[in-house]
Each structure stands twice: as structure tokens, then as C-alpha cells.
Amino acid sequence: MIGVYLSGTGNTKHCIEKLIYLLDETAQAVPIEGKETVHLLSQHEFIVLAYPVQFSNAPVMVRNFIKDHSELWKNKRVLCVATMGLFSGAVSLVTLLLASMLFWRVTIPGSLPAFLGSWLLTMVSTLSIGLMVGGIARNAKSASVIACLLYFPMLIFSGATLPLEVMPGAMQKVISIFPLTQGIQLMKATSLGLSTGGLWVPAAVMGAVTVICMGAAVTCFQWE
């Protein structure tokens, strides 16, 4: 048994390593972009293929790998593991809203359409950053490093993990440049029905990030 994976943030790598260890303690997991990956896969009859879902489909890099090495999969057992999906956030959001309203009688004081619109704008702006990373990175390894450098600071300091209000004032000003910070503040205001007078600032920041990152992605991306 052997595992092969495509992992941008390291989540998929962690999952497949844990999985194949439970199935076979002697098995190893290798990245799909590795130089020896094809040779190693050819030596095993049972392959675990792991990747994150993108737009409800396998990533282009994974599909190309499968097609380019079509002979590799014949007469072998292959277990595919999808670790996450682009639309999983939408499913989680709808499930959480329905469950909270049904079982705990939670209500949204603000505007639900405005909240959903702010959530969609946040998703698009953060997605554009990922597309930019894919466009400027030379390979999957460098893309993983760049994504981690951008993702984790935003996750920790944007208010998604720690409340923005408990952070020092100087730090709040610095992290306000993160589109995720602006998105969370926008979703908070629209869901709680707070004053909408200054909401154009978060919307403008996320819109500018989307345009800049999408432009960089289109300009820099090259087919190998």
C-alpha cells in the first residue's frame, strides 16, 4: 500500500498519513508532484489517492496526473479520499443557520440577504487570493509555502479565531488590511443590524483585493 496526495495547506497530507498508518503501519505517503512518485506507485497494488475538492471536482493537477499516467492504474485497487470542498462552506453555513433557527430559535436581527451577500463577497475575495497564489507560484511546493504564509496570519488575526475587540488598537489597524478581517466585520454588522454607514469600506477593500488578485492570477498564470 502507498498513499499519494495533493496538499496545499498540509491538511490533506495530515489526513492521508493518519489514514494509511491505520491501514498499514509500514505504508508511506508521497506528494503527487514528487520526482519518484510514479515509480513508487508502480510498485504497489493498493493506492490511496487524496486531494481537496475544487469546484465540486478533483483539482486540475490531479486529473492531469491521472490522465498522463493512465497505464499506472490498471488492475490496481485505488481508494480516493476528498478532504475538503470549495462549496463546503456554503453547506456548513446553510446547515448552521437552519439548525440554530429550528432547535435554538436563533434569529438574525439584521438583514439575512445582506448577510449572505457579505458572506459571498468574503468568499470571492479570499478565493481570489488562492487563485493569485496558483498563478504566481512556480510549482506546488512553492504554492503551498506562499499559501501558508498568507492563510494562517489571516486565520489567526482576522477575528475568525480571536475576537478583534480583544486585540490592541495598533494591531487592529494593521490587520484591517486583511480581506478576511473586513469580511468578518461586514458579516457581523449585517447579521446584527448594526449601522451600515461605514460598510462601504470593507466592501471596497474586498472588491479591490478581488480585482488585484484576479488580475495577477490571469497575468502570471502559465500552462506547463
Side-chain angles (χ1 to χ4, degrees):
M1 175 191 295
I2 189 172
V4 58
Y5 61 86
L6 175 66
S7 182
T9 62
N11 293 331
T12 303
K13 177 183 178 182
H14 175 76
C15 291
I16 191 174
E17 287 178 344
K18 292 293 185 181
L19 175 61
I20 64 173
Y21 178 80
L22 294 174
L23 298 175
D24 183 356
E25 295 183 2
T26 63
Q28 63 173 326
V30 296
I32 199 171
E33 68 273 13
K35 295 181 179 180
E36 300 295 328
T37 297
V38 175
H39 173 69
L40 293 173
L41 294 180
S42 65
Q43 298 178 340
H44 295 268
E45 298 299 323
F46 185 14
I47 302 173
V48 180
L49 174 62
Y51 53 85
V53 173
Q54 297 177 353
F55 292 101
S56 299
N57 205 342
V60 175
M61 186 174 178
V62 174
R63 283 179 281 164
N64 289 342
F65 182 85
I66 295 173
K67 293 177 182 179
D68 294 340
H69 307 285
S70 57
E71 296 294 328
L72 183 67
W73 315 100
K74 291 185 177 180
N75 301 321
K76 293 188 178 183
R77 293 180 298 167
V78 180
L79 172 63
C80 294
V81 179
T83 55
M84 64 177 294
L86 176 64
F87 298 116
S88 61
V91 175
S92 300
L93 174 65
V94 174
T95 303
L96 179 61
L97 286 176
L98 292 178
S100 60
M101 292 178 179
L102 180 62
F103 296 106
W104 292 282
R105 300 293 189 269
V106 175
T107 59
I108 298 180
S111 170
L112 181 59
F115 169 74
L116 294 176
S118 62
W119 171 82
L120 180 60
L121 179 59
T122 304
M123 289 286 290
V124 172
S125 64
T126 51
L127 175 62
S128 69
I129 298 177
L131 293 176
M132 180 192 68
V133 172
I136 65 177
R138 295 183 178 181
N139 49 54
K141 290 184 178 180
S142 60
S144 177
V145 173
I146 297 173
C148 289
L149 292 176
L150 294 175
Y151 172 74
F152 288 109
M154 283 199 300
L155 181 63
I156 296 173
F157 299 111
S158 64
T161 304
L162 299 174
L164 188 66
E165 292 76 12
V166 303
M167 300 181 186
M171 180 178 290
Q172 292 184 25
K173 294 180 180 180
V174 173
I175 63 178
S176 63
I177 63 175
F178 294 156
L180 187 57
T181 303
Q182 299 293 342
I184 291 175
Q185 296 306 306
L186 185 62
M187 288 187 287
K188 180 179 179 180
T190 54
S191 63
L192 296 179
L194 303 179
S195 175
T196 58
L199 295 186
W200 66 270
V201 176
V205 171
M206 289 188 290
V209 169
T210 302
V211 172
I212 294 173
C213 292
M214 290 290 288
V218 173
T219 303
C220 300
F221 181 79
Q222 294 182 355
W223 290 102
E224 292 185 357

